Amino acid sequence: MNRLKDATSPYLLQHADNPVHWFPWGDDAFEEARRRDVPILLSVGYSACHWCHVMAHESFEDAATARLMNDLFVSVKVDREERPDVDAVYMEATQAMTGQGGWPMTVFMTPSGEPFYCGTYFPRPHFQQLLQAVSQTWRDRRDEVLAQGQKIVGALTGTIGLGGGAVPSEEVPAVAVRGLTEGYDRTYGGFGTAPKFPPSMVLEFLLRHAARGGEGLEMADATLVAMARGGMYDQLGGGFARYSVDAAWVVPHFEKMLYDNALLARVYAHWWRLTGAEEGRRIALETCDWMLGDLRTAQGGLASALDADSETPEGRHEEGAYYVWTPGQLTEVLGADDGAYAVELFEVTGTFEHGTSVLQLPRPPQDRERYARVRAALLAARARRVPPGRDDKVVAAWNGLAIAALAECG
């Protein structure tokens, strides 16, 4: 029996009709696992997560996969935004075991809650094989599984520590900047390789360090410009997607999260305050406008996220469908002259799937009046598309970040 029908989380309710016998997180699940003497399969995600949807469609809605899960495990579904405490513990275990993390997070653990095998997204054939292999290992090599779980718990417990109360010396920030320089992408901005997440707190540090006469401002400048002009920023409606799947900030992972945008609005405002960069002012204000326009709930709070997927005119749910364009669609909305202008302005060159493109703004427009007219027309046309789903859960911490951003930008 699926026990999610009475949940309040939008993410859990997305799974309430699965053939999987989901439990919400709680004592009942652990008691059932002990009664049946089977492991717990913990699946953690959130409502706007594209790969969570993919795994749900492939595996959790599939009768054969659900039967394996029901027969071999007690399955627990967690919304990482509703239970960040649970997510944090098992994400640390996942990162420790695999070297990376992400959602959906898939954790196999003992009925006492000790993780012994972790991962993220698994395609259905691999997932089915994994279910059977884990179950067989639990039956035939139980001592090894229990020892592995205890070893992981011990290792993670040993890593927890608190910083001292002393103020860092002048050398500490300088050492940090040198470390960041080693991982800095001098071609595209940002740090490391694909996928690239917006490094909000790193940029805050660099701006504050520069304000005190330190080095590193050029890294912040280039990264802020690259993110603002790439496809990760919504060039029509404002606001940032969660991350870029490529190193050049061209193609985003399309979900838009409140906390990312709250942090980035502040960063761009601080950039403008420090350097006078007009682009920083524009992005900060547009991001605030987007938060208030698209995330404000009837009760006055701000919702958590917009989904990555949305419905196409043919009725399919596809990632990015709400945001991408073809040259023909631009011409249909704008006419031949403005359509050709928009193709060049927004670099519509087939950067996404099926000949579509994510809009970019690689160069500031020279004709501001024409740009504003074209942007308004495209935004109005996009509003007639089926919008992505919204997670209306109001997370207090994320609203706190947004309040701070709105206050500072105001």
Side-chain angles (χ1 to χ4, degrees):
M1 180 181 70
N2 189 320
R3 295 163 175 80
L4 301 183
K5 63 181 180 62
D6 295 325
T8 57
S9 157
Y11 177 64
L12 297 188
L13 291 173
Q14 288 175 357
H15 295 272
D17 294 325
N18 292 168
V20 178
H21 295 168
W22 291 115
F23 280 77
W25 180 269
D27 292 340
D28 290 350
F30 291 92
E31 290 173 3
E32 179 68 5
R34 286 191 288 270
R35 185 188 69 80
R36 290 178 50 196
D37 192 29
V38 295
I40 287 176
L41 193 169
L42 173 66
S43 176
V44 182
Y46 57 102
S47 69
C49 170
H50 169 70
W51 288 105
C52 298
H53 298 329
V54 172
M55 192 164 178
H57 296 324
E58 288 181 349
S59 294
F60 304 149
E61 296 172 8
D62 176 67
T65 308
R67 188 159 47 249
L68 286 172
M69 295 172 66
N70 297 337
D71 290 347
L72 303 177
F73 302 91
V74 169
S75 298
V76 177
K77 178 61 76 172
V78 166
D79 181 342
R80 65 117 174 173
E81 296 165 2
E82 186 178 52
R83 292 302 304 264
D85 52 339
V86 174
D87 176 67
V89 168
Y90 291 101
M91 182 60 72
E92 190 173 0
T94 300
Q95 291 172 331
M97 276 193 262
T98 68
Q100 60 187 8
W103 299 276
M105 178 168 57
T106 306
V107 179
F108 295 91
M109 56 189 185
T110 71
S112 300
E114 298 165 331
F116 58 85
Y117 189 90
C118 300
T120 52
Y121 161 77
F122 294 101
R124 181 167 65 197
H126 186 180
F127 188 54
Q128 290 181 344
Q129 294 171 6
L130 180 63
L131 293 171
Q132 296 177 76
V134 169
S135 178
Q136 183 173 352
T137 302
W138 175 258
R139 292 193 305 269
D140 299 344
R141 294 153 57 191
R142 179 78 59 91
D143 291 345
E144 294 178 30
V145 171
L146 295 176
Q148 170 77 348
Q150 291 168 2
K151 181 179 178 181
I152 293 166
V153 170
L156 295 178
T157 302
T159 64
I160 296 172
L162 300 176
V167 175
S169 69
E170 290 289 336
E171 181 63 14
V172 171
V175 170
V177 171
R178 289 197 293 272
L180 289 170
T181 302
E182 293 177 5
Y184 176 64
D185 185 339
R186 298 184 182 280
T187 304
Y188 299 115
F191 302 89
T193 57
K196 274 186 178 169
F197 288 78
S200 305
M201 301 314 297
V202 169
L203 296 172
E204 282 281 12
F205 161 69
L206 290 172
L207 293 175
R208 295 183 187 199
H209 187 57
R212 300 175 66 246
E215 298 179 345
L217 180 59
E218 69 283 355
M219 293 190 289
D221 285 341
T223 301
L224 288 161
V225 168
M227 292 195 304
R229 297 182 183 181
M232 199 180 74
Y233 184 70
D234 183 350
Q235 302 296 342
L236 298 183
F240 288 87
R242 179 156 166 70
Y243 64 86
S244 172
V245 301
D246 60 276
W249 308 102
V250 176
V251 178
H253 198 38
F254 288 90
E255 71 250 38
K256 295 165 83 171
M257 313 294 293
L258 173 61
Y259 67 91
D260 284 326
N261 283 280
L263 291 170
L264 286 165
R266 291 186 75 194
V267 172
Y268 277 92
H270 295 164
W271 181 42
W272 167 75
R273 182 176 64 188
L274 179 65
T275 67
E278 183 59 27
E279 196 163 17
R281 178 182 184 277
R282 176 178 68 83
I283 297 297
L285 293 178
E286 287 179 1
T287 301
C288 288
D289 287 342
W290 172 77
M291 287 191 290
L292 293 173
D294 283 20
L295 295 185
R296 184 154 41 178
T297 67
Q299 295 77 24
L302 295 174
S304 296
L306 296 185
D307 208 328
D309 299 7
S310 50
E311 190 175 310
T312 67
E314 298 76 27
R316 299 187 304 273
H317 275 78
E318 293 182 359
E319 184 184 13
Y322 186 69
Y323 299 100
V324 297
W325 297 81
T326 64
Q329 289 171 332
L330 294 176
T331 300
E332 182 180 350
V333 173
L334 301 170
D337 288 346
D338 278 350
Y341 166 78
V343 167
E344 182 178 358
L345 178 72
F346 293 117
E347 210 161 275
V348 179
T349 56
T351 52
F352 193 52
E353 300 169 347
H354 314 302
T356 63
S357 291
V358 183
L359 301 188
Q360 304 173 74
L361 193 65
R363 291 164 298 280
Q366 298 300 308
D367 187 338
R368 302 296 301 182
E369 184 176 335
R370 188 180 193 186
Y371 162 70
R373 184 181 73 248
V374 164
R375 183 170 179 259
L378 292 177
L379 186 60
R382 193 178 77 175
R384 294 191 288 272
R385 298 177 176 180
V386 178
R390 188 173 83 165
D391 186 336
D392 283 334
K393 181 165 63 280
V394 176
V395 178
W398 297 4
N399 273 254
L401 293 173
I403 290 167
L406 293 167
E408 289 202 45
C409 292

